[in-house]
């Protein structure tokens, strides 16, 4: 080989080697770019609405005019089994923001200020620490004692991802639509404000609606149900606007979008109820192409996977690539490395406005189990807010006129069963209670056990009456969540007595060192005045001197129902002067429950009509209206 040939081959080798090296570097850079693209933190957008059940076209509703939401659904994952943890906003929202059951952290009563446990943080705080810009527009209502600025970068009616200073900063943004709230059905002025931009053909004709099976078919009912649908038409426009803004900003391919409602429709036998009408919500989730790997299910498909509100917080953290804190009680349903799907979802109802009625629900894909802890109370207790609504007035009037549909008549009963079991495949309206059907004995056992085990596992603070719960927290300067987990108080005995129908066991409960146990023992005995005997009357009489105010009230209630009135009513009148607002509420509730027997207490009831707690006023007003034949209206 000549020297020239040798130089030529060396040059060719050099060129080939250089080419290969450049190619290799380009591949490495491309790989890194792909990796960076894959690992980019997603933006997460929530479009939420209030008081809305499944009345959307994408869920098969032929009346709803929701073309933009339906179009969004066609490119999203549509969940057919998503459920609120409570059928009313504040408790439900407390579970969303914490990833914990309201009944676990003491936020289960409506309009309370639960004490956040030490070590528990709101999930947007974790996102902010990871570099997210977190905004909320604009409802909070978390039913807990909190500082908004600690949770959100912005939380107001102008909060928006567009307000972040760095446009490359990932964001978590919530936009909450208030136009579907129950107040927008009864209040014509609010309804007009929410729907002012709708075209004529976007409004729903009252003649076109299909009324819920509980409602009387009247002109007013149709008008208000159509108004509800028209509010949903306005929600469609609101949602379209938010999604358009995402497109305008070139963010659609980098943003995971959720759409859901905070609980069922704001009408009777929906909101505040543990039926599916109150708990089941629409849930749509869109993952753009870049993030489709975070779901095993295809966009544009439906899934019957069970999802609870306690699952939302861990899911968002999982999508953001963050660790899920141990205190969160939900499971992520999107992201990598998921745990097995749920077998059950759980829900609870406790004090709704001024009325207590402890109820718990367990649901799987086919069956619903409801446990009523206070079966002596009617299905529909008189509550000031819904009773002022025109639909409830129509239901009450139709019942008197005997024109109420059979499904509605069933719910006008003055007492409830201890338990209900429904086969939702055969009975989606939850009308046929299968508790006594031997064919469902095994299912009943499974659902009942699921409820009791869940109640003990999450340490259901609803078993602790509100005044006692707050007094324990104040005494120890700790949340009820901490007190029950540290073993300061045991929940097991409370649950056993609260569910008991055994007189001997309940009498033993009256002697417990735990005031919550004594309370439930007195309540359960008071539900059975037929158990009256001399020994029981003596024990309950001693209960009037119990060291705990609420046990005294429960003992007085039982004694009145057994015919011992004078001392019992005197005690209740005295408790109306308590410094504790929840003691006063419990006392006035018993007086209202006693109806005509409470006539000697009229002066005492009138004396609390200026009470600082509006709930006390509402109950006293109701009792006085019944006793005096008046129709006074309060806020």
């Amino acid at each position: 080989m000549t020297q020239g040939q040798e130089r030529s081959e060396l040059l060719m080798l050099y060129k080939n080697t250089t080419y290969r090296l450049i190619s290799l570097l380009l591949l490495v850079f491309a790989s890194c770019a792909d990796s960076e693209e894959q690992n980019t933190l997603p933006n997460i957008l929530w479009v939420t609405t209030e008081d809305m059940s499944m009345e959307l076209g994408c869920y098969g509703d032929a009346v709803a005019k929701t073309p933009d939401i339906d179009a969004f659904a066609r490119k999203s994952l549509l969940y057919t089994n998503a459920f609120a943890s409570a059928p009313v906003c504040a408790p439900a929202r407390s579970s969303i923001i914490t990833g914990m059951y309201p009944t676990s952290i003491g936020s289960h009563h409506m309009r309370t200020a639960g004490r956040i446990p030490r070590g528990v943080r709101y999930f947007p705080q974790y996102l902010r620490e990871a570099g997210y810009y977190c905004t909320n527009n604009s409802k909070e209502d978390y039913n807990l004692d909190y500082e908004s600025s600690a949770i959100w970068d912005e939380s107001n009616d102008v909060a928006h991802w567009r307000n972040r200073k760095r446009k490359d900063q990932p964001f978590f943004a919530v936009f909450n639509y208030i136009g579907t709230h129950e107040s927008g059905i009864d209040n014509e002025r609010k309804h007009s404000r929410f729907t002012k931009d709708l075209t004529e053909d976007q409004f729903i004709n009252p003649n076109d609606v299909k009324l819920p099976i509980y409602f009387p078919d009247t002109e007013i009912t149709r008008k208000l149900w159509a108004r509800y649908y028209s509010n949903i038409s306005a929600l469609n426009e609101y949602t379209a606007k938010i999604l358009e803004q995402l497109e305008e900003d070139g963010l659609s391919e980098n943003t995971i979008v959720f759409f859901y409602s905070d609980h069922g429709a704001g009408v009777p036998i929906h909101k505040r109820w543990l039926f599916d009408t109150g708990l089941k919500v629409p849930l749509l989730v869109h993952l753009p192409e870049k993030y489709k790997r975070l779901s095993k299910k295809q966009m544009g498909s439906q899934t019957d996977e069970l999802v609870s509100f306690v699952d939302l917080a861990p899911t968002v953290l999982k999508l953001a690539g963050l660790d899920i804190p141990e205190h969160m009680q939900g499971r992520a349903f999107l992201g990598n490395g998921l745990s097995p799907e749920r077998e059950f979802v759980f829900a609870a109802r406790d004090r709704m406005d001024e009325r207590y009625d402890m109820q718990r629900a367990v649901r799987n894909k086919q069956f619903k189990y409801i446990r009523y802890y206070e079966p002596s109370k009617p299905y529909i207790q008189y509550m000031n807010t819904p009773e002022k609504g025109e639909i409830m007035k129509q239901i009450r009037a139709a019942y008197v006129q005997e024109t109420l549909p059979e499904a509605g008549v069933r719910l006008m009963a003055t007492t409830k069963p201890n338990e209900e079991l429904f086969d939702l495949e055969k009975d989606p309206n939850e009308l046929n209670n299968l508790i006594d059907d031997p064919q469902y004995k095994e299912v009943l056992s499974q659902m009942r056990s699921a409820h009791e085990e869940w109640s003990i596992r999450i340490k259901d603070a609803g078993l602790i009456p509100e005044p006692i719960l707050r007094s324990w927290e104040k005494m120890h300067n700790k949340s009820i969540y901490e007190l029950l987990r540290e073993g300061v108080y045991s929940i097991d005995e409370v649950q056993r007595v609260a569910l008991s129908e055994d007189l001997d066991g309940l009498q033993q409960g009256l002697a417990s060192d735990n005031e919550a146990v004594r309370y439930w023992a007195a309540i359960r005995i008071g539900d059975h005045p037929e158990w009256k005997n001399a020994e029981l009357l003596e024990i309950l009489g001693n209960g009037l001197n119990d060291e705990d105010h609420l046990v005294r009230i429960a003992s007085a209630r039982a004694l009145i129902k057994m015919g011992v009135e004078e001392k019992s009513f005197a005690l209740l009148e005295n408790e109306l002067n308590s410094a504790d607002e929840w003691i006063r509420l419990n006392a006035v509730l018993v007086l209202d429950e006693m109806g005509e027997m409470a006539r000697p207490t009229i002066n005492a009831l009138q004396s609390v009509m200026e009470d600082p707690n509006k709930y006390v006023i509402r109950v006293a007003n109701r009792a006085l209206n019944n006793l005096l034949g008046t129709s006074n209206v309060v806020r």
Side-chain angles (χ1 to χ4, degrees):
M1 178 181 295
T2 66
Q3 190 175 2
Q5 289 174 322
E6 195 172 288
R7 266 198 316 270
S8 179
E9 285 197 11
L10 285 172
L11 184 61
M12 183 64 68
L13 179 63
Y14 171 78
K15 288 181 177 178
N16 290 339
T17 303
T18 303
Y19 175 77
R20 290 191 186 100
L21 181 60
I22 291 172
S23 298
L24 179 61
L25 288 172
L26 288 172
L27 285 171
V28 169
F29 288 142
S31 176
C32 289
D34 287 344
S35 177
E36 184 179 349
E37 177 85 353
Q38 290 291 308
N39 294 322
T40 301
L41 291 174
N43 303 315
I44 301 172
L45 167 64
W46 281 6
V47 180
T48 69
T49 193
E50 300 191 50
D51 299 19
M52 190 185 79
S53 296
M54 313 299 285
E55 286 77 26
L56 295 171
C58 54
Y59 279 92
D61 192 298
V63 176
K65 295 181 179 180
T66 53
D68 295 286
I69 295 174
D70 299 344
F72 175 73
R74 286 192 291 272
K75 62 177 185 178
S76 303
L77 191 56
L78 184 149
Y79 288 82
T80 60
N81 275 325
F83 296 90
S85 52
V88 70
C89 58
R93 287 170 181 270
S94 72
S95 66
I96 293 171
I97 199 69
T98 62
M100 304 175 75
Y101 290 103
T103 46
S104 179
I105 55 177
S107 59
H108 47 290
H109 294 304
M110 186 63 177
R111 295 288 174 264
T112 189
R115 183 184 294 226
I116 192 74
R118 291 178 178 87
V120 170
R121 304 175 71 193
Y122 304 98
F123 82 86
Q125 292 177 292
Y126 298 104
L127 293 171
R128 290 176 74 182
E129 285 183 355
Y132 274 81
Y133 182 75
C134 295
T135 69
N136 179 61
N137 186 332
S138 65
K139 184 169 181 176
E140 294 177 350
D141 207 9
Y142 303 138
N143 228 32
L144 291 158
D145 188 11
Y146 64 93
E147 290 286 341
S148 179
S149 60
I151 304 174
W152 301 104
D153 288 292
E154 283 187 285
S155 183
N156 51 56
D157 58 7
V158 295
H160 203 292
W161 71 74
R162 288 176 169 174
N163 298 335
R164 67 200 196 284
K165 293 179 180 178
R166 285 184 17 248
K167 299 309 178 186
D168 62 341
Q169 182 180 9
F171 64 80
F172 170 64
V174 179
F175 289 85
N176 180 78
Y177 183 66
I178 63 174
T180 49
H181 188 267
E182 67 180 322
S183 59
I185 298 175
D186 275 306
N187 189 315
E188 187 169 3
R189 186 166 52 184
K190 280 189 177 181
H191 167 70
S192 297
R193 187 171 81 245
F194 296 138
T195 58
K196 63 182 176 63
D197 294 327
L198 294 183
T199 59
E200 185 176 347
D201 65 338
Q202 288 176 306
F203 285 91
I204 306 301
N205 188 320
N207 294 325
D208 293 338
V209 300
K210 180 180 179 182
L211 292 173
I213 60 171
Y214 316 101
F215 291 0
D217 193 343
T218 68
E219 182 179 350
I220 291 177
T221 305
R222 284 189 168 274
K223 174 185 174 182
L224 294 180
W225 194 235
R227 188 180 286 176
Y228 163 67
Y229 269 98
S230 296
N231 291 341
I232 294 173
S233 295
L235 163 68
N236 179 79
E237 299 306 300
Y238 176 89
T239 304
K241 180 180 178 181
I242 300 297
L243 296 178
E244 284 170 9
Q245 290 175 350
L246 203 64
E247 290 281 353
E248 289 169 5
D249 293 358
L251 294 168
S252 296
E253 292 308 311
N254 298 309
T255 306
I256 297 172
V257 183
F258 288 65
F259 171 94
Y260 67 90
S261 168
D262 67 350
H263 53 71
V267 295
I269 317 172
H270 290 65
K271 183 177 182 177
R272 303 179 180 90
W273 291 72
L274 293 184
F275 299 142
D276 276 9
T277 48
L279 294 173
K280 195 171 187 178
V281 297
L283 172 62
L284 308 171
V285 183
H286 174 70
L287 282 75
E289 188 68 35
K290 184 188 298 187
Y291 301 112
K292 284 184 179 178
R293 69 186 188 281
L294 298 175
S295 173
K296 293 181 180 179
K297 303 177 177 73
Q298 296 295 315
M299 294 300 104
S301 66
Q302 295 187 10
T303 174
D304 67 351
E305 177 181 356
L306 290 166
V307 171
S308 166
F309 273 5
V310 292
D311 300 333
L312 290 171
T315 298
V316 168
L317 295 184
K318 174 74 78 171
L319 291 172
L322 302 179
D323 292 333
I324 298 171
E326 289 186 5
H327 66 256
M328 287 191 177
Q329 295 164 334
R331 67 170 288 275
F333 55 89
L334 292 168
N336 296 317
L338 301 181
S339 60
E341 291 186 9
R342 288 177 163 277
E343 184 179 2
F344 303 106
V345 290
F346 302 91
R349 164 180 168 153
D350 290 272
R351 178 171 54 73
M352 296 289 179
D353 295 344
E354 69 266 31
R355 301 284 178 175
Y356 294 96
D357 192 354
M358 183 179 174
Q359 305 174 14
R360 298 292 180 265
V362 181
R363 194 192 195 284
N364 60 22
K365 292 180 180 180
Q366 183 174 357
F367 296 99
K368 163 85 69 63
Y369 170 82
I370 301 177
R371 175 71 204 205
Y372 296 106
Y373 279 75
E374 300 177 85
S376 64
K377 295 178 178 178
Y379 275 106
I380 304 178
Q381 290 196 87
Y382 185 98
M383 280 184 283
N384 197 59
T385 297
E387 292 288 346
K388 288 194 291 187
E390 286 299 327
I391 292 181
M392 181 61 82
K393 289 178 181 177
Q394 294 291 299
I395 290 173
R396 295 285 191 193
Y399 179 67
V400 172
Q401 298 162 8
E402 298 185 349
T403 57
L404 188 64
E406 185 178 349
V409 171
R410 182 180 71 90
L411 298 171
M412 302 300 287
T414 56
T415 61
K416 304 185 290 289
N418 288 338
E419 303 168 291
E420 288 180 332
L421 177 69
F422 302 107
D423 183 337
L424 297 163
E425 289 183 359
K426 298 177 181 178
D427 178 27
N429 291 307
E430 298 168 80
L431 299 174
N432 182 24
N433 186 6
L434 302 170
I435 286 294
D436 297 322
D437 190 330
Q439 180 182 344
Y440 294 89
K441 183 178 180 180
E442 186 175 335
V443 173
L444 173 60
S445 177
Q446 179 194 29
M447 302 295 279
R448 182 186 284 156
S449 294
H451 158 62
E452 294 180 12
E453 290 167 5
W454 170 80
S455 177
I456 295 299
R457 173 167 50 83
I458 65 128
K459 301 191 184 302
D460 189 343
L463 288 161
I464 314 301
E466 189 168 20
I468 295 175
L469 185 157
R470 299 305 172 202
S471 69
W472 286 357
E473 289 185 326
K474 185 176 180 180
M475 183 191 314
H476 297 279
N477 193 27
K478 291 184 177 180
S479 69
I480 191 65
Y481 177 88
E482 296 166 271
L483 293 173
L484 295 178
R485 276 150 190 79
E486 292 172 3
V488 178
Y489 301 98
S490 173
I491 205 75
D492 303 54
E493 186 186 5
V494 185
Q495 187 204 62
R496 178 181 59 77
V497 172
L499 294 174
S500 177
E501 293 287 334
D502 174 59
L503 177 57
D504 290 339
L506 291 171
Q507 284 192 200
Q508 293 175 21
L510 290 173
S512 173
D513 292 336
N514 186 326
E515 53 265 48
V517 173
R518 299 198 301 276
Y519 166 82
W520 275 111
I523 288 294
R524 298 304 286 161
I525 289 171
D527 288 344
H528 293 279
E530 70 276 9
W531 288 348
K532 174 181 176 180
N533 62 57
E535 180 184 6
L536 194 56
L537 291 176
E538 181 180 357
I539 296 172
L540 290 170
N542 293 334
L544 295 178
N545 299 310
D546 194 277
E547 63 183 17
D548 184 83
H549 290 261
L550 197 61
V551 176
R552 297 203 292 263
I553 291 171
S555 299
R557 171 183 178 272
L559 285 167
I560 293 170
K561 296 183 73 129
M562 293 180 180
V564 181
E565 298 182 18
E566 187 175 349
K567 288 184 178 180
S568 303
F569 277 122
L571 180 137
L572 292 172
E573 288 188 18
N574 187 58
E575 297 295 352
L576 290 177
N577 299 313
S578 171
D580 186 324
E581 63 182 328
W582 304 119
I583 290 293
R584 299 197 303 274
L585 178 60
N586 275 269
V588 75
L589 282 166
V590 174
L591 292 175
D592 183 45
E593 180 186 0
M594 295 308 150
E596 184 60 33
M597 287 189 291
R599 182 166 291 280
T601 69
I602 285 177
N603 289 339
L605 288 167
Q606 290 173 329
S607 73
V608 297
M609 286 302 292
E610 300 295 329
D611 195 279
N613 186 321
K614 66 181 179 181
Y615 296 150
V616 174
I617 293 174
R618 289 178 180 183
V619 178
N621 184 67
R622 170 64 174 168
L624 288 168
N625 279 342
N626 284 337
L627 291 169
L628 301 176
T630 53
S631 54
N632 186 45
V633 177
V634 296
R635 65 181 177 91

